[in-house]
Amino acid sequence: MATINKSLVKNEMPVQPADVRNRNFSEVALGYTKDQAIDEARRCLNCKHKPCIEGCPVNVNIPDFIAEVANGNFETAYQIINKTNSLPAICGRVCPQEKQCEAKCVRGIKGEPVGIGRLERFVADWHIANSTTEPEIPKSNGHKVAIVGSGPAGLTCAGDLAKLGYEVTIFEAFHLAGGVLVYGIPEFRLPKHIVQKEIDGLKKLNVKIETNMVIGKILSIDELFDEYEFKAVFIGSGAGLPMFMNIPGENFKGVYSANEFLTRINLMKAYKSDSDTPIHCGAKVAVVGGGNVAMDAARCAKRLGADVTIVYRRSEAELPARLEEIEHAKEEGINFNLLTNPIEIIGTEDGWVKELVCLKMKLSEPDASGRARPVPIEGSEHKLSVDCVIMSIGTTPNPLIKNTTEGLATEKWGGIITDEDGLTSRKGVYAGGDAVTGAATVILAMEAGKKAAKAIDDYIKSK
Amino acid sequence: MYKIIKKEILNPAVTKMVIDAPLIAKKAEPGQFIMLRVDENGERIPLTIADYDREKGNVTIIFQIVGATTEKLNRLNEGDNLHDFVGPLGKKTETEGLKKVAVVGGGVGCAIAFPVAKKLHDEGVEVHSIIGFRNKDLIFLEKEFAEISDKIFVMTDDGSNGSKGLVTDALKELLDSGEKYDEVITIGPLVMMKFVSLLTKKYNVKTVVSMNPVMVDGTGMCGGCRVKVGNETKFACVDGPDFDGHQVDFDEAIARTQMYQQFERKAHEDTCNLYKMEVK
Ligand SMILES: Cc1cc2nc3c(=O)[nH]c(=O)nc-3n(C[C@H](O)[C@H](O)[C@H](O)COP(=O)(O)OP(=O)(O)OC[C@H]3O[C@@H](n4cnc5c(N)ncnc54)[C@H](O)[C@@H]3O)c2cc1C
Ligand SMILES: Cc1cc2nc3c(=O)[nH]c(=O)nc-3n(C[C@H](O)[C@H](O)[C@H](O)COP(=O)(O)OP(=O)(O)OC[C@H]3O[C@@H](n4cnc5c(N)ncnc54)[C@H](O)[C@@H]3O)c2cc1C
Ligand code: SF4
Ligand code: FES
């Protein structure tokens, strides 16, 4: 075991300079070098009680993989992570580590926690760049399983089942697989070739991916069982329809949902000159909301040349986005109007957005969500002059599958109801990810996919 | 890949294509639509399913050449493939319980109205069709409409064929003459649907319109296709595209479709110029 690195701070992650990156779509964070990774790994105490593992929703064996990094055995480190996490290059980039593994790290009591996420990313990238080992192709066990949706929940469930020998087919509504990883999270945070790499990996395991297939329209869940002889179905159809605030003026030209704005950019590449898909991004943009989605929309708008302001009704402490994204957004010159809530959009004569009318807010006692409730301050009405407004205040589940699947129980708000293992009210039908929980995180969607894969395996074997 | 089995030029601006898509053909219903991409970097555009053949496994689209994507689409020929073709999307047009219906189509909207009129006819409903075009060179589907309609009126703006005038003129005459319809179904440019709806409101006849807002996914994810109906925000791709014409906020819808006009005009010119260069 190498000596411990006593530094109280993490090795800094090399990044593109803020005033350069806010004008391009290339990746912001550049990743550790070999030396930085080894130096960071040496900060780990290899604690006996391993608190970091409990913080990880898929229980990656963190101290063990870090020990291998410290010794320069990067491929071995990768194999350790990959046992429980099938998408480490993605998780290393987008997991909210500061609320998960790193929140529990002993080194965090005095000083900064070990840069677990950065190490995970380093190891995964190293593997992608250097590994030549081909995955073992599992022998088919003759059972077919269908997966609806190719986001992290569906991809993980598919991978785990394929490794067990199931013949897996993923049905994806879009023309490209990946879910939010390809149409939501921007290139500068999660390069699409990395997502593609993971998907190629699944194809090598003989997972079939059928794009342009909207389940509930072209095929129903019942038909998947009756006509196509799938033994089980996993639904990972994601978070669904964007919500709007229902304030006056929300349908003026120049008002987007974050989903539309981001899809035009990420999936349809509207920022490239050879793309046919247009985007209207004005000179002054307001993004309403404070989650990852809002940060991504704001940073995309910035890169398209706009002056961007985040409008969020609570304070900085309540911002739901990942810490790193908030910091990066600030560095890139995005303004934050906190404790501010829009009440109306005013338009020009020909129907374009002109102003956003807002109220100042103050925080009062916690509401049902446990977070301080924002209440308007009387007489604080003011106007922001903007020509584009991006609404990023959440989503409600897509009703397509619910409406076409008899006996599939859902919550009042539309989420699919499942038990601990992901089983729905229908025999053989499992679900997980945002379709069940509402908008959450990549790693929780993966955890749900994993649990469901295990339950599906037990179910089919017990038949 | 989705092969073009047949291509037919209906008029200088409108083309019909039959696409091999057996699974979609099996499920398609009048009123529903597909979304397609012509090539790798292409835009996703929605087009109504104008007809389908469940046995042969194909779907017909009829489109007007308006911008870059429809221009590119029109350059493909029989035997070529579309990059993506997804559907059937949206809700089908409700026809249950109807006995007598006026179907009012305008321009390329007639292609969308046709499968609905045909279905009504097949279900034994009395169908009065009013189809309108700018001039006689643009008329298409006239024969097809005639075959399935109990009465048919072809209107042209300039009177170069059929009767001179707008579809609303013909509809008003019918209503004034005492015709009683269970419903008016109208599909065409937004302005036309707006004026049909204003007219039928006076006569208190239920009116269904087919909205065509800008769409990105067509599955209820992006929120781009929102339309104000009554005082509610609806999503045309999952709640529609059919809505109660008396409830739709047409002025807002008209404004919203102009969002990309400038961009499109340029894209259209660029594509045209590119093709001109190729031809030379
Ligand atoms: C802009 C943005 C940024 C985010 N940033 C982060 C982050 O930094 N860190 C983090 O942990 N999480 C982040 N999230 C959240 C995270 O991406 C989601 O929680 C996660 O992707 C959910 O995975 P999923 O598999 O449940 O669904 P999704 O990723 O939404 O995938 C669902 C898939 O199902 C398809 N589908 C839907 N209906 C059908 C149907 N009827 N038939 C066939 N296919 C269908 C969809 O097209 C889609 O591809 C972000 C989300 C967004 C939108
Ligand atoms: C449900 C639905 C069904 C439709 N059915 C038909 C049909 O059967 N035949 C037909 O000719 N047209 C139909 N349209 C309209 C057709 O989608 C547009 O004409 C087409 O997208 C134009 O694309 P473009 O790139 O060639 O033109 P552009 O120059 O890009 O656009 C011209 C106009 O088309 C509209 N448009 C552009 N992109 C979209 C989009 N992604 N979604 C919706 N509208 C868009 C806009 O109003 C725009 O101003 C339908 C639209 C919808 C929403
Ligand atoms: S808690 Fe921190 S120091 Fe302890 S094993 Fe985990 S990563 Fe290492
Ligand atoms: S087209 Fe995206 S929600 Fe309807």
Side-chain angles (χ1 to χ4, degrees):
Chain A
M1 183 68 204
T3 46
I4 305 269
N5 169 358
K6 299 213 179 82
S7 167
L8 290 182
V9 293
K10 297 192 238 197
N11 273 274
E12 272 214 46
M13 176 87 113
V15 292
Q16 278 194 68
D19 58 341
V20 174
R21 69 178 191 244
N22 66 11
R23 281 174 279 140
N24 69 48
F25 276 83
S26 311
E27 194 167 15
V28 167
L30 303 170
Y32 279 162
T33 61
K34 237 158 94 174
D35 291 343
Q36 285 168 326
I38 291 173
D39 192 56
E40 184 63 27
R42 287 178 44 236
R43 293 186 62 226
C44 173
L45 306 171
N46 210 338
C47 312
K48 218 178 229 123
H49 61 304
K50 309 176 199 303
C52 48
I53 300 182
E54 288 157 38
C56 172
V58 299
N59 302 127
V60 167
N61 192 338
I62 293 165
D64 276 15
F65 104 72
I66 293 182
E68 295 298 342
V69 177
N71 292 325
N73 301 327
F74 305 137
E75 182 59 25
T76 320
Y78 177 82
Q79 296 307 336
I80 293 171
I81 301 176
N82 199 228
K83 262 189 217 148
T84 48
N85 183 337
S86 50
L87 309 173
I90 294 168
C91 290
R93 285 173 167 81
V94 304
C95 269
Q97 289 97 3
E98 74 273 10
K99 292 181 191 147
Q100 300 179 5
C101 53
E102 293 181 18
K104 305 248 164 141
C105 175
V106 172
R107 292 295 302 259
I109 300 169
K110 220 170 126 201
E112 287 182 347
V114 176
I116 302 173
R118 295 171 183 184
L119 287 171
E120 179 181 31
R121 170 188 159 139
F122 169 80
V123 167
D125 286 358
W126 194 91
H127 170 81
I128 289 176
N130 297 291
S131 166
T132 48
T133 49
E134 288 291 316
E136 226 175 284
I137 296 169
K139 214 171 131 268
S140 165
N141 66 16
H143 299 299
K144 286 169 53 172
V145 178
I147 311 269
V148 181
S150 61
L155 293 177
T156 308
C157 189
D160 280 18
L161 287 169
K163 285 180 196 154
L164 293 168
Y166 288 91
E167 291 175 16
V168 182
T169 306
I170 300 180
F171 295 99
E172 167 56 47
F174 261 130
H175 55 258
L176 201 66
V180 168
L181 306 178
V182 296
Y183 68 69
I185 303 181
E187 181 77 22
F188 58 79
R189 205 144 75 72
L190 180 62
K192 300 310 151 213
H193 69 88
I194 286 178
V195 182
Q196 197 49 49
K197 199 89 196 170
E198 303 292 0
I199 291 167
D200 291 345
L202 284 184
K203 287 190 181 153
K204 283 193 192 139
L205 295 172
N206 286 333
V207 171
K208 278 200 224 110
I209 303 185
E210 296 215 28
T211 51
N212 292 321
M213 295 289 280
V214 183
I215 301 304
K217 284 290 180 187
I218 195 160
L219 296 174
S220 66
I221 300 277
D222 289 300
E223 284 169 317
L224 291 175
F225 283 107
D226 302 341
E227 284 179 37
Y228 293 84
E229 294 172 345
F230 287 101
K231 296 266 167 49
V233 175
F234 174 78
I235 305 171
S237 55
L241 279 164
M243 293 201 284
F244 288 89
M245 297 188 79
N246 294 319
I247 57 176
E250 228 169 355
N251 287 340
F252 279 128
K253 287 176 279 184
V255 184
Y256 279 109
S257 80
N259 276 5
E260 181 183 358
F261 189 76
L262 288 168
T263 303
R264 281 178 183 269
I265 293 175
N266 297 318
L267 186 71
M268 308 308 292
K269 308 286 174 215
Y271 63 91
K272 289 190 177 165
S273 61
D274 63 348
S275 168
D276 286 345
T277 301
I279 189 146
H280 163 80
C281 178
K284 281 190 192 159
V285 177
V287 178
V288 182
N292 287 317
V293 187
M295 295 305 142
D296 284 345
R299 295 169 73 196
C300 282
K302 183 81 196 178
R303 281 160 173 75
L304 293 172
D307 175 32
V308 186
T309 304
I310 296 247
V311 177
Y312 178 64
R313 61 192 184 133
R314 293 188 165 94
S315 74
E316 170 137 13
E318 287 86 21
L319 280 172
R322 291 181 74 215
L323 194 62
E324 185 172 282
E325 310 318 326
I326 300 168
E327 281 167 3
H328 283 168
K330 282 188 188 157
E331 289 163 14
E332 287 165 15
I334 285 160
N335 314 309
F336 283 71
N337 275 11
L338 302 168
L339 290 163
T340 305
N341 201 31
I343 50 167
E344 185 180 352
I345 298 167
I346 295 176
T348 62
E349 228 160 62
D350 48 357
W352 283 95
V353 170
K354 189 174 142 208
E355 283 165 333
L356 187 65
V357 186
C358 300
L359 288 178
K360 278 270 157 217
M361 312 292 276
K362 59 175 185 245
L363 294 179
S364 93
E365 70 294 337
D367 64 10
S369 73
R371 293 179 301 175
R373 195 164 56 92
V375 285
I377 299 174
E378 232 174 283
S380 65
E381 196 173 309
H382 61 285
K383 287 178 186 165
L384 298 178
S385 149
V386 290
D387 45 16
C388 178
V389 177
I390 303 170
M391 290 294 172
S392 176
I393 54 166
T395 54
T396 55
N398 189 312
L400 276 186
I401 292 178
K402 178 187 96 181
N403 290 349
T404 53
T405 313
E406 217 153 299
L408 186 71
T410 52
E411 304 277 4
K412 242 204 224 104
W413 52 269
I416 301 172
I417 298 175
T418 68
D419 71 3
E420 267 282 286
D421 300 324
L423 179 64
T424 68
S425 56
R426 285 274 312 258
K427 201 169 139 233
V429 180
Y430 296 75
D434 285 2
V436 170
T437 56
T441 59
V442 170
I443 193 76
L444 289 172
M446 288 177 56
E447 182 190 19
K450 261 191 131 46
K451 279 194 177 154
K454 170 138 197 330
I456 289 171
D457 181 43
D458 291 345
Y459 164 71
I460 293 178
K461 282 201 180 126
S462 71
K463 276 221 296 192
Chain B
M1 282 294 178
Y2 305 86
K3 198 186 214 111
I4 301 168
I5 304 172
K6 205 163 156 248
K7 177 182 178 183
E8 199 181 319
I9 311 282
L10 298 183
N11 74 35
V14 178
T15 302
K16 171 173 151 181
M17 280 181 181
V18 180
I19 315 291
D20 179 41
L23 284 177
I24 302 178
K26 211 167 134 193
K27 285 290 169 71
E29 294 281 351
Q32 292 189 299
F33 63 96
I34 53 88
M35 291 202 73
L36 62 79
R37 282 200 314 161
V38 176
D39 54 31
E40 184 65 50
N41 294 323
E43 189 173 15
R44 288 169 69 95
I45 65 157
L47 294 171
T48 306
I49 297 172
D51 203 356
Y52 48 83
D53 187 327
R54 300 211 204 282
E55 254 112 71
K56 292 202 183 109
N58 62 49
V59 169
T60 302
I61 49 173
I62 296 180
F63 59 92
Q64 184 161 27
I65 303 149
V66 291
T69 309
T70 42
E71 175 97 38
K72 269 191 201 168
L73 178 60
N74 191 46
R75 301 199 34 107
L76 299 183
N77 288 309
E78 286 173 15
D80 291 344
N81 285 300
L82 294 176
H83 208 283
D84 299 288
F85 198 73
V86 53
L89 300 169
K91 288 185 174 160
K92 65 176 184 184
T93 302
E94 289 302 336
T95 54
E96 220 163 280
L98 299 176
K99 300 254 160 19
K100 186 170 168 184
V101 172
V103 176
V104 183
V108 74
C110 296
I112 308 174
F114 179 70
V116 180
K118 185 170 155 213
K119 181 171 183 218
L120 288 166
H121 171 78
D122 291 348
E123 288 173 351
V125 179
E126 184 176 344
V127 176
H128 293 184
S129 301
I130 305 170
I131 54 178
F133 301 90
R134 264 183 291 133
N135 61 55
K136 78 168 194 301
D137 298 332
L138 298 177
I139 297 177
F140 66 93
L141 289 181
E142 183 182 1
K143 200 170 98 272
E144 287 85 345
F145 264 105
E147 275 168 18
I148 53 134
S149 306
D150 296 273
K151 285 186 183 169
I152 176 165
F153 304 87
V154 183
M155 308 297 289
T156 47
D157 291 6
D158 62 356
S160 52
N161 190 356
S163 311
K164 180 170 157 63
L166 303 171
V167 290
T168 38
D169 298 335
L171 182 62
K172 182 164 189 309
E173 216 166 283
L174 285 165
L175 291 167
D176 282 340
S177 74
E179 294 282 6
K180 293 262 179 291
Y181 299 109
D182 300 323
E183 203 171 287
V184 171
I185 297 179
T186 180
I187 303 167
L190 287 169
V191 208
M192 182 200 100
M193 294 194 287
K194 172 182 167 178
F195 282 102
V196 169
S197 301
L198 286 173
L199 176 70
T200 56
K201 188 147 196 194
K202 283 193 218 136
Y203 293 79
N204 215 0
V205 188
K206 183 177 175 207
T207 298
V208 172
V209 299
S210 175
M211 298 303 284
N212 49 6
V214 172
M215 296 187 168
V216 181
D217 59 313
T219 64
M221 191 278 286
C222 76
C225 65
R226 60 194 192 275
V227 178
K228 213 191 281 156
V229 183
N231 253 329
E232 273 180 85
T233 294
K234 296 275 183 189
F235 297 92
C237 69
V238 285
D239 300 323
D242 289 356
F243 292 105
D244 177 349
H246 296 156
Q247 302 283 324
V248 170
D249 185 336
F250 279 103
D251 295 333
E252 187 181 275
I254 290 168
R256 279 184 63 79
T257 53
Q258 290 157 359
M259 184 144 161
Y260 294 107
Q261 233 167 32
Q262 225 174 346
F263 179 96
E264 278 148 4
R265 211 169 294 136
K266 186 168 174 315
H268 181 71
E269 279 162 20
D270 288 354
T271 350
C272 292
N273 289 340
L274 259 173
Y275 289 140
K276 269 187 220 140
M277 268 158 49
E278 272 173 27
V279 173
K280 262 185 211 157

